[in-house]
Structure formats: structure tokens, C-alpha cells
Amino acid sequence: MRFGLQRMRALLGALGHPERAQPAIHVVGSNGKSSTARLAGAALASQGLRTGTYLSPHVTGWRERIEIQGRAVSRERFARAVSAAVAAAASLDLDADDQPTQFEILTAAAFWTFADAGLDAAVIEAGLGGRYDATNVLGADAVVALTNVSLEHTDLLGDTEEAIAAEKLAVCPEGSDRLVVGPLSPAAAAAVAGEMTLRCLAAWRCGSEVRARAAGSGVEVVTPGARYPALPLGVRGRFQRDNLSVALAAAERLLGRPLDPGPLAGALALVRMPGRLEVLPGAPLVVLDGAHNPAGVEAMVASLGAATARRRPVAVVSVLGDKDAGAMMRSLADACRAVVATRSRHPRASSPAGLAALARRAGCRAEAVESPRAAVQRARALAGRRGAVLVCGSLYLLGDLRPWLLRAPPDGPDDRPAAAGAPDRLAPGPGPAR
């Protein structure tokens, strides 16, 4: 991981600047980016636009990162795109220790894919931060969707919400009026407002110009241009209402008009998110969630009851060493019967014993089991057949366990929907989100 945009711009230049091929929505923020990106992609596709979506990280398969019309690209298309990006990188006159990073190659491959397919629009999820992220190469007309701001990656982005807000909003050109801002804490709202004033940015803001609320079994979203009553939402979690409102507002800003609610409703009902309050039926049932920082765990816990049918689950948890594991365990302790701490195969995964100690300190029964599969088996035993198991704390842990839990074959048919994608053998784990 090496921040900076010089390599990325050179790489895209060698590919003929595919990032300029279609209008785009750029999704940045601390949490909810992938859900917002998928919802925005579905909204645009429902309006007749052939749409590509770039996501990171993946859960079980590398092709999940590049979608066309909501489906992971085929292995052949993925291979051609990565090969094109690698060939372009080889043509650059760069020092041996300054070659494009894995994330830069994947991002360039996504842009190449969308241009090669002749798409009408793209939704691009930032990896980490914004200012120096490899996705920060879109044109000045791109719509920027800021989902939220919370303390994350403080060693890289800054240790205050003001600093992190500045890093994320740096993707907005000076004076832009094509910004959508999701719900923010009071401190984050003040930070974003200060940055907007400093850089003369204008936005539609959730809670002000954009609003969302439960409406029967659906969600009502109101924007400056439209009111969408009782939209169905195929993804679980109360926090998805906010993600939906950001996604629809961003889609409106890209199109310059309200959305046709008829096809929109059908498209939203079909959106799925692997590893986001994903329920695997069984006895006990298993819930997978990629919440991997304190704000994400807090949002997950607030919606957990509906996913577990009000059963307090036994949590299987792995956390990377750069996260505030103590805060995460305090949120889990309020919602879970017990914690089984384990270790994903990521080299920065925290020790299970240390995580178990943090859980006990938070007042929750806890034990440590080194192997993720053995940890799930132990959690199942603790939960009982009528109970529930929650797997969370790291997308890397979900990458280790999801194919096994689904009993997925090692490789499935081409163009399988991303929500059920089988793992691709490029490298272990979800890979870096940079």
C-alpha cells in the first residue's frame, strides 16, 4: 500500500483513460459504502442505464469487486481486464520499487471493463479515505456520495473527525454542487460543514434536503425533486434506510431528474449484500456481518434482533489489530450471550486470547478458539439448535468462513450473482481495501 495518484494516472493514461468513458457516482465514507454503491447501481440500472459498480473489498470472490448490471463479471472478462491493466503497468517507465499496487491494478481493471462494455454510468466505491485513494481520478462532473464519517484508520487518515472528513471530501472538486451527505454525528456534521464552507461545496444532506423513514414494510425517501413512498428494500438493517436515501439522491443528481418509481421498486427489492446481516438458515441459524469498526458494530447491533428472530446470539469474532476492539466488544457484550474469539488468516488479526479478555472485561462470557471453523462449531454448541450464531468483526473472517458455511463448491459457473459468488483463487482473503 503506497498512497498517491501519480502511478494511477499514468496507468490510466496507458489504458486510454477509461475512467472518462461514462458519468460516475463516487461513494466515500467510513461505513455503508458497498451497500450504498450497490443500491445506487440498481437505481441507475432500473432507469434504463447499463451500469457498472466497483466495490471493495470482496467477501469470497475477487470478481465481486466488478459488477455489470448487478452481477459479477465473468471469469473471462475479469481475466481480460486484469491482463490489460498489468500490460499497461508493464509499459510504464517506473522504478522497480514504485510499480502499481494491487488495488491500483484492480481499480484500473474496473475502469477498463466499464469502458470496454460501453456502459452508460458507473458507481465507484473508494477503498480507503479519499484524497490519495486510487479511485480519486474521476472527472469534475462526478457525483460524490459521502455515507458518513467516523474514526477509522486514524494512523493514516488522522485522529479527529475533522481530519477524516477533509480526507474524504477531498475527492470533491472546489466549488462542486454535486455532493450528497449521509447522516452524521454532531461532531462529524460540524467537521463536514466546515470543510464545505472552506471549499465552497454545496450538498443535499440527509435529515435536511433528503429524508428517509419506515413506511409499512418499505421505506419512504424524500429528495428535493421527488417523494418515493414505500420502496421495498431487499437488504437488512435499519441503517440501510440511510444508505438508500444517499443512493437515490446520488442517482438523481447524476441523472438530473427524479427516478421512475415503478422499475426502481422492483430493482431495489432484488439487491442483496453478501456478509451484511446475511442470514443462513439452519439449527442454529447463522448471521454473517462484515462490521469491522465500532460504528459498524453499533449499527449492526441496532438491527440484529430482526435478523436473529430476537434470539441473543453467540458471536464468533476476529478483529484486525488496527481496530478499536475494546469498543467493538462493548457493543457486542450488550447484544450477545457469549463471544468465541478466533483469528482470521490475515497477518494483522488480533490474538483470540486478547479479544476474549476484552469481551470478559465488557461483561460478556468469552473463550478463545484459534481455528475459525472450530470457533463456529463451538459457538453452535453454545447456542443450541434453537439459538443463533453471529460471525462478525472482520471481512477477512467472513472470507474464511462463508464458502464453508454455504457448502459452496470451490468454483462455480460464470456470471454467478455476486451475492452467491464462489471464491476466485487470486490470493487469500478479501484483499486490501486501498
Side-chain angles (χ1 to χ4, degrees):
M1 181 175 64
R2 299 188 309 282
F3 286 118
L5 296 175
Q6 182 177 355
R7 288 182 309 274
M8 190 64 193
R9 288 177 175 143
L11 180 57
L12 292 172
L15 287 169
H17 286 291
E19 79 281 10
R20 302 174 183 173
Q22 63 279 123
I25 296 171
H26 197 181
V27 183
V28 299
S30 298
N31 290 296
K33 295 190 295 294
S34 291
S35 296
T36 301
R38 274 210 172 102
L39 291 166
L44 292 173
S46 77
Q47 306 302 294
L49 279 69
R50 293 191 67 238
T51 304
T53 309
Y54 178 53
L55 306 156
S56 66
H58 63 265
V59 178
T60 56
W62 287 86
R63 293 181 298 114
E64 291 173 25
R65 295 180 179 233
I66 305 177
E67 297 183 354
I68 295 177
Q69 297 292 85
R71 294 174 67 87
V73 295
S74 69
R75 287 176 181 78
E76 289 79 10
R77 189 184 285 276
F78 184 81
R80 282 191 283 116
V82 172
S83 296
V86 169
S91 73
L92 300 177
D93 183 20
L94 297 174
D95 293 339
D97 61 350
D98 194 35
Q99 296 299 306
T101 67
Q102 180 191 71
F103 187 70
E104 288 166 348
I105 291 289
L106 288 166
T107 304
F111 286 132
W112 185 92
T113 297
F114 300 156
D116 180 66
L119 301 186
D120 302 311
V123 182
I124 308 298
E125 178 185 348
L128 192 155
R131 186 188 308 275
Y132 298 117
D133 188 75
T135 62
N136 189 20
V137 290
L138 297 168
D141 61 342
V143 174
V144 173
L146 174 65
T147 59
N148 47 57
V149 173
S150 63
L151 293 178
E152 52 152 354
H153 300 292
T154 53
D155 55 329
L156 299 170
L157 304 180
D159 58 4
T160 65
E161 289 177 318
E162 290 85 352
I164 292 173
E167 287 300 307
K168 296 183 183 301
L169 287 180
V171 304
C172 287
E174 195 90 10
S176 173
D177 63 352
R178 293 169 69 77
L179 172 64
V180 177
V181 177
L184 302 170
S185 68
V192 167
E195 189 67 16
M196 288 175 58
T197 299
L198 182 67
R199 302 188 54 236
C200 301
L201 304 175
W204 288 357
R205 296 158 297 175
C206 285
S208 180
E209 292 84 0
V210 180
R211 300 184 301 281
R213 67 177 184 87
S217 60
V219 181
E220 179 184 84
V221 176
V222 179
T223 70
R227 175 178 172 271
Y228 304 98
L231 290 170
L233 195 53
V235 287
R236 292 183 176 88
R238 281 182 283 178
F239 53 87
Q240 296 289 9
R241 299 175 196 165
D242 296 326
N243 293 336
L244 176 62
S245 64
V246 172
L248 296 190
E252 274 194 23
R253 303 215 79 166
L254 184 137
L255 291 172
R257 61 170 174 81
L259 309 175
D260 182 346
L264 174 65
L268 295 176
L270 296 176
V271 174
R272 297 291 184 272
M273 286 296 301
R276 275 71 166 185
L277 286 177
E278 180 181 13
V279 177
L280 308 183
L285 67 79
V286 176
V287 178
L288 307 178
D289 195 90
H292 56 277
N293 57 33
V297 171
E298 187 175 343
M300 174 195 69
V301 165
S303 298
L304 192 57
T308 63
R310 305 300 168 189
R311 287 169 277 191
R312 294 187 73 206
V314 176
V316 176
V317 185
S318 177
V319 179
L320 295 190
D322 62 345
K323 308 298 183 185
D324 186 350
M328 295 167 68
M329 290 300 177
R330 287 191 291 274
S331 292
L332 286 173
D334 293 335
C336 298
R337 291 173 49 198
V339 166
V340 181
T342 189
R343 188 195 305 266
S344 75
R345 57 179 149 173
H346 194 283
R348 289 192 288 110
S350 297
S351 78
L355 291 177
L358 289 172
R360 293 188 200 101
R361 196 174 303 160
C364 189
R365 174 185 175 187
E367 55 189 84
V369 176
E370 190 75 19
S371 162
R373 291 189 184 186
V376 170
Q377 300 291 41
R378 176 59 179 155
R380 281 172 163 160
L382 291 173
R385 292 184 58 80
R386 296 184 179 181
V389 172
L390 168 67
V391 180
C392 67
S394 169
L395 283 165
Y396 294 94
L397 180 64
L398 267 59
D400 291 343
L401 289 173
R402 188 172 182 270
W404 173 67
L405 289 166
L406 290 172
R407 294 291 192 268
D411 224 354
D414 286 340
D415 286 321
R416 180 180 294 201
D424 297 310
R425 305 302 184 191
L426 189 62
R434 319 287 190 260

